[in-house]
Amino acid sequence: MAESKTKSSPEASGAVEATETQTVEAPQVSEAQANPEKFLKEFDWHNYEEGIEQVADSKLEEFEKLVSENFVDTLDDEVVEGTVITITDRDAIIDINAKSEGVISLNEFRYNPDLKVGDKVEVLIDVREDATGQLVLSHRKARVIKAWERVNNAHDTGEIVNGFVKCRTKGGMIVDVFGIEAFLPGSQIDVKPIRDYDAYVNKTMEFKVVKINHEFKNIVVSHKALIEADIEEQKKEIISQLEKGQVLEGVVKNITSYGVFIDLGGVDGLVHITDLSWSRINHPNEIVELDQTLNVVILDFDEDKSRIQLGLKQLSKHPWEALSEEVKIGDKVKGKVVVIADYGAFVEVAEGVEGLVHVSEMSWSTHLRSAQDFVSVGDEIDAQILTLDREDRKMSLGIKQLTPDPWTDITSKYPVGSKHTGIVRNFTNFGVFVELEEGIDGLIYISDLSWTKKIKHPSEFCNVGDNLDVVVLELDVDGRKLSLGHKQTTENPWDKYETEFALNSTHTAKIAEIVDKGATIEFNEDIVAFVPSRHLEKEDGSTLKKGEEAEFKIIEFNKEFKRVVASHTAVFREEEAKIVKQAVRKAEAQAAEAKPTLGDANDALQALKDKMDGKK
C-alpha cells in the first residue's frame, strides 16, 4: 500500500519527509516501539498534561529569540512608555510592546482631558494578568514614581521647579509639584512677612526643593530662597555704600513693641521706639503703619553692617531748639502727664519738651508719699518752672508752688496748747505722724499717746487712717516741725490716783499673777501694783497664792514712773504694833498703881519690846 502525504508525529524528535510514492514494505517501527524504556524516561509529561504538542527544541529557541527581540521585558517596579491604541468609555488600551496590551482606567487621566489615540504615556505594570488574563497598567503610579525621581533630582541639583498653590493649611500652603503635594511654610513664601495668604492660592509659582523626608514622604519647598539669592546681591551693593548720617528711603516691613523694621531695598534696619518721635509714645503704631514709605537717617551700624540703627525723629528739629526764648524760671505752664515714677512725674509742656515734677514738689506735706497719690498718666496739670537748663535740655517743675505755703500762718492756726483732730499717716518705732491738713504734719512721741498704757509700738494703739485728737506741744517754724500729744487731750488719771492710792492707804485686791521676786495685783484697769515676795507673808506665816484676796498697804507710789508697790504683811504688822503700844500703855498704868520693883518693870518692858520686834 502506498501513501501520497507525509505526517509529523508527536512521538518523533523531528519531522521526517517521505517520498510521495513508496514501495510497499514492511511497517516502520517508531522510537517508542523500538526503545520503550528510553521513550518513557525522556517523555515530557508536563506538556502532555497541559495539552501542548511536542515541539522541536530548535523551534522553541527560535521563538524565544523572536520574543526577546520584539517584546519588552517588564518589571513590576519599572516605568515604561506606552502608546494609546484605543479609548473606550471607561478605559484606555495601552500598547507597551509586551505580549499583550494593558488597560488603564480613564480616571487616571482626569488631569488630561485631551487624551487621544497615539499619545505616549508613562505606565507601570499593576497586575500582570487579572482573572481574564488581561495585563493591567497604572498611569497614576508611574506618574508618582517619575515625580519623585524629578523631585529628588531637583533637590540634589538645586533646579527651580514650578508648582501650583492648591490651598492654605496650618502654618503655610499646600503646593502641587509634579503631581505630588509639597508643603510651603509661611516663612518661606517671601522675604517679608505675609499678611494675606489667600492671595497666593491658585497661583503657579517657582520654587526650590529645600527638604525631603523619604521616610514620611514629605517635601518642603521655598519661594523665599529664590528671592534671597537676588536680594543678596542687592544687599551687598547697598551695604557697601552705607554711611552714618545718610538719609535713605525705606518701607515699613514690620512693627514691634520696641521699634520698627525698615526695608531699605534688601537690607533691613531698625528704628527704635525712642528714635521715632521726640515725644514719648506707647507703641510705634502711633507714628507709622505697615507698608508706609518714609525717609530715615542712618544713626549707626556694626562692623559688617548687618545691624543698622535708623532714626526718624532726627530728620526734624529738636523741640528744645524750637522752645521759645521767652520761657523762663518762675513761669506758670500747662502740660500733660506722660510718665509716672515713684520719685515723680514727667510732664510734657510742649511737643518733645518734658519737665520733672519731683514728688517733694507736689505737696507742701513733708510726709513721704508716691507720685501716684497726686497725678495719673494723661492728666492735664498746671505747674511752675523751678529750674531750666537749655543746654542739657532739662527742666524741673513744681505743683505745690501754685498754692499758698500753709506754714506761713502756722503760729496763728496751730498755737501751742491748741487742740485739733488729725489723720494718722505713718508709724515709726518712736511715734506717730499725724496730718492736720495738706502740708502740715506733726509727730506724737510714743510716750505721749497714753497716760496709763505701756506701749511698745504705735501700731498697738492706733491704725493708719484713724482720726486722732491731738494737742500742740511744741512748734518749730524755721524747722517746719510740730510736736503733738494725744494723752494731753484728757486729764492725767494719776493725779487722782495719787490721792486715792496715797502712801500707807489700805485696799482690798486679789493676787493676779505670781511673778519673779513677788506677785502683781490689779487695783483697776490702770494700776497694777507689785508685791515683793517678803510682803506676801500672812499672819500665820504662810504665803498668799494666786487668786487669794487680801488687804494690801501702799508702801510706794511714783506718779512719774507709774510705779506702785504694796504689802500684805505690813497690814497685820501695823495692827500688832498698835496692840503692843496699847498693852505697853496699860502695863505702865498698872505698874504705876502697883509700884512693882525695878526688876519686874524691866522684865515687862523687855517682853513688850520683843513682841514688837516680832520675836516669839
Side-chain angles (χ1 to χ4, degrees):
M1 184 172 67
E3 189 71 26
S4 64
K5 190 176 182 182
T6 63
K7 294 183 180 180
S8 61
S9 172
E11 291 86 357
S13 61
V16 179
E17 294 185 359
T19 58
E20 293 182 1
T21 305
Q22 293 184 0
T23 306
V24 176
E25 296 177 359
Q28 294 182 355
V29 179
S30 66
E31 184 181 353
Q33 292 172 335
N35 193 349
E37 293 181 2
K38 181 181 179 183
F39 175 80
L40 291 173
K41 184 178 181 181
E42 297 178 356
F43 186 72
D44 191 342
W45 291 98
H46 174 72
N47 287 347
Y48 174 76
E49 292 174 354
E50 294 292 329
I52 302 174
E53 293 185 358
Q54 189 169 356
V55 182
D57 290 340
S58 59
K59 290 191 174 184
L60 288 174
E61 291 175 359
E62 183 181 359
F63 176 76
E64 290 175 358
K65 181 180 179 182
L66 291 172
V67 169
S68 63
E69 290 176 353
N70 293 281
F71 298 104
V72 296
D73 184 14
T74 57
L75 301 175
D76 290 346
D77 58 352
E78 183 180 357
V79 177
V80 298
E81 188 177 66
T83 304
V84 180
I85 58 174
T86 305
I87 296 178
T88 68
D89 293 338
R90 299 175 58 186
D91 303 313
I93 309 303
I94 311 296
D95 180 11
I96 61 170
N97 202 22
K99 297 176 183 179
S100 63
E101 290 79 15
V103 179
I104 298 178
S105 172
L106 287 179
N107 287 332
E108 297 191 22
F109 295 98
R110 283 182 297 179
Y111 75 95
N112 184 9
D114 299 327
L115 183 70
K116 61 185 181 298
V117 174
D119 285 353
K120 300 293 185 180
V121 294
E122 292 174 335
V123 296
L124 181 77
I125 294 178
D126 200 2
V127 180
R128 286 186 176 276
E129 291 184 3
D130 62 8
T132 62
Q134 179 66 57
L135 176 65
V136 180
L137 306 175
S138 173
H139 176 61
R140 180 181 58 80
K141 292 181 180 179
R143 287 185 69 212
V144 171
I145 292 175
K146 281 297 183 180
W148 273 102
E149 289 178 0
R150 295 178 67 183
V151 166
N152 281 299
N153 182 65
H155 178 258
D156 295 339
T157 62
E159 176 190 353
I160 298 174
V161 299
N162 288 326
F164 178 74
V165 181
K166 297 175 65 176
C167 62
R168 285 189 59 180
T169 187
K170 184 178 181 181
M173 317 288 284
I174 298 297
V175 179
D176 186 318
V177 179
F178 304 140
I180 301 176
E181 289 189 348
F183 177 59
L184 173 64
S187 61
Q188 295 298 315
I189 297 177
D190 205 336
V191 291
K192 59 184 180 181
I194 303 301
R195 291 182 288 277
D196 184 12
Y197 283 79
D198 292 331
Y200 293 87
V201 177
N202 296 327
K203 283 189 175 182
T204 299
M205 302 169 60
E206 291 184 335
F207 301 98
K208 284 190 70 173
V209 180
V210 295
K211 184 178 180 181
I212 297 178
N213 188 321
H214 293 280
E215 181 180 357
F216 297 102
K217 298 295 183 182
N218 290 336
I219 304 170
V220 179
V221 296
S222 171
H223 180 67
K224 176 182 176 181
L226 301 178
I227 304 175
E228 286 177 333
D230 296 333
I231 290 180
E232 193 62 31
E233 294 299 324
Q234 299 176 19
K235 185 176 180 179
K236 290 179 181 178
E237 183 178 352
I238 294 173
I239 286 178
S240 64
Q241 301 174 359
L242 292 181
E243 295 179 2
K244 291 183 181 179
Q246 185 179 8
V247 178
L248 299 174
E249 184 178 79
V251 178
V252 177
K253 179 179 179 180
N254 192 21
I255 299 176
T256 68
S257 60
Y258 55 86
V260 179
F261 287 94
I262 306 295
D263 183 358
L264 302 175
V267 179
D268 289 347
L270 172 66
V271 182
H272 195 269
I273 187 172
T274 56
D275 291 317
L276 283 171
S277 171
W278 292 114
S279 299
R280 292 179 185 263
I281 57 175
N282 296 319
H283 197 278
N285 56 20
E286 298 176 19
I287 304 296
V288 299
E289 57 186 20
L290 288 171
D291 298 327
Q292 180 181 351
T293 300
L294 42 78
N295 291 328
V296 290
V297 61
I298 298 177
L299 302 180
D300 201 0
F301 46 74
D302 55 8
E303 291 183 1
D304 58 2
K305 300 181 181 179
S306 60
R307 294 184 179 181
I308 305 170
Q309 182 181 346
L310 305 174
L312 180 63
K313 71 180 184 181
Q314 287 79 4
L315 295 177
S316 60
K317 192 175 181 180
H318 197 288
W320 272 89
E321 297 175 6
L323 188 65
S324 173
E325 292 293 335
E326 297 180 358
V327 177
K328 61 186 183 300
I329 295 175
D331 286 354
K332 179 181 176 182
V333 293
K334 184 183 291 291
K336 180 180 179 181
V337 178
V338 290
V339 175
I340 292 181
D342 288 338
Y343 56 85
F346 289 92
V347 179
E348 188 177 51
V349 297
E351 185 177 357
V353 178
E354 296 177 2
L356 172 64
V357 183
H358 194 271
V359 66
S360 62
E361 303 297 339
M362 292 183 175
S363 170
W364 290 108
S365 175
T366 57
H367 175 61
L368 183 62
R369 293 160 75 178
S370 175
Q372 288 91 335
D373 296 333
F374 300 96
V375 294
S376 301
V377 173
D379 286 353
E380 297 282 349
I381 63 170
D382 293 324
Q384 183 177 337
I385 299 177
L386 304 181
T387 64
L388 180 63
D389 188 340
R390 292 179 180 271
E391 184 176 345
D392 290 339
R393 296 170 178 173
K394 292 182 179 180
M395 179 189 300
S396 63
L397 306 172
I399 298 175
K400 70 182 184 181
Q401 287 77 8
L402 300 180
T403 58
D405 184 354
W407 282 83
T408 55
D409 57 349
I410 190 73
T411 54
S412 60
K413 291 179 67 176
Y414 301 101
V416 174
S418 60
K419 293 184 179 181
H420 309 276
T421 300
I423 300 174
V424 177
R425 289 298 186 190
N426 196 15
F427 293 139
T428 66
N429 291 330
F430 53 83
V432 179
F433 284 99
V434 176
E435 184 182 60
L436 300 180
E437 65 172 82
E438 184 71 27
I440 304 294
D441 292 343
L443 174 64
I444 305 175
Y445 283 98
I446 196 169
S447 58
D448 288 320
L449 287 173
S450 174
W451 289 112
T452 57
K453 293 181 179 178
K454 293 182 179 180
I455 302 170
K456 295 181 179 179
H457 191 273
S459 59
E460 300 173 7
F461 183 80
C462 58
N463 299 312
V464 173
D466 286 353
N467 289 323
L468 212 60
D469 293 331
V470 295
V471 171
V472 178
L473 303 181
E474 294 180 14
L475 177 59
D476 181 359
V477 178
D478 295 334
R480 301 172 76 92
K481 293 181 180 179
L482 271 178
S483 178
L484 306 174
H486 172 68
K487 69 181 183 181
Q488 289 81 1
T489 59
T490 59
E491 293 183 2
N492 187 352
W494 285 87
D495 293 338
K496 180 180 65 172
Y497 297 150
E498 187 176 24
T499 302
E500 183 179 349
F501 297 94
L503 197 65
N504 294 323
S505 61
T506 303
H507 308 273
T508 302
K510 291 183 179 180
I511 299 294
E513 295 290 342
I514 301 297
V515 297
D516 188 29
K517 298 182 180 181
T520 60
I521 55 177
E522 296 179 357
F523 289 129
N524 56 38
E525 61 179 7
D526 294 329
I527 297 181
V528 178
F530 175 68
V531 182
S533 298
R534 60 190 180 89
H535 290 277
L536 292 172
E537 182 181 352
K538 296 191 289 186
E539 190 173 5
D540 60 2
S542 62
T543 302
L544 289 172
K545 305 298 181 183
K546 180 179 179 179
E548 281 191 68
E549 187 175 77
E551 286 189 343
F552 295 90
K553 187 176 183 179
I554 304 300
I555 59 176
E556 181 183 347
F557 185 91
N558 190 317
K559 182 176 71 172
E560 182 180 356
F561 295 103
K562 300 179 178 61
R563 174 181 171 84
V564 178
V565 181
S567 171
H568 171 67
T569 304
V571 174
F572 65 80
R573 288 279 170 84
E574 184 181 7
E575 289 294 327
E576 289 181 354
K578 290 180 180 178
I579 294 173
V580 169
K581 288 179 180 179
Q582 291 175 357
V584 169
R585 287 195 295 268
K586 185 177 180 180
E588 288 177 347
Q590 291 176 349
E593 293 177 0
K595 295 182 179 180
T597 63
L598 183 59
D600 292 336
N602 288 338
D603 291 340
L605 288 173
Q606 185 63 44
L608 288 173
K609 184 179 179 181
D610 291 341
K611 188 175 183 180
M612 290 178 65
D613 292 338
K615 295 180 179 180
K616 300 281 184 173

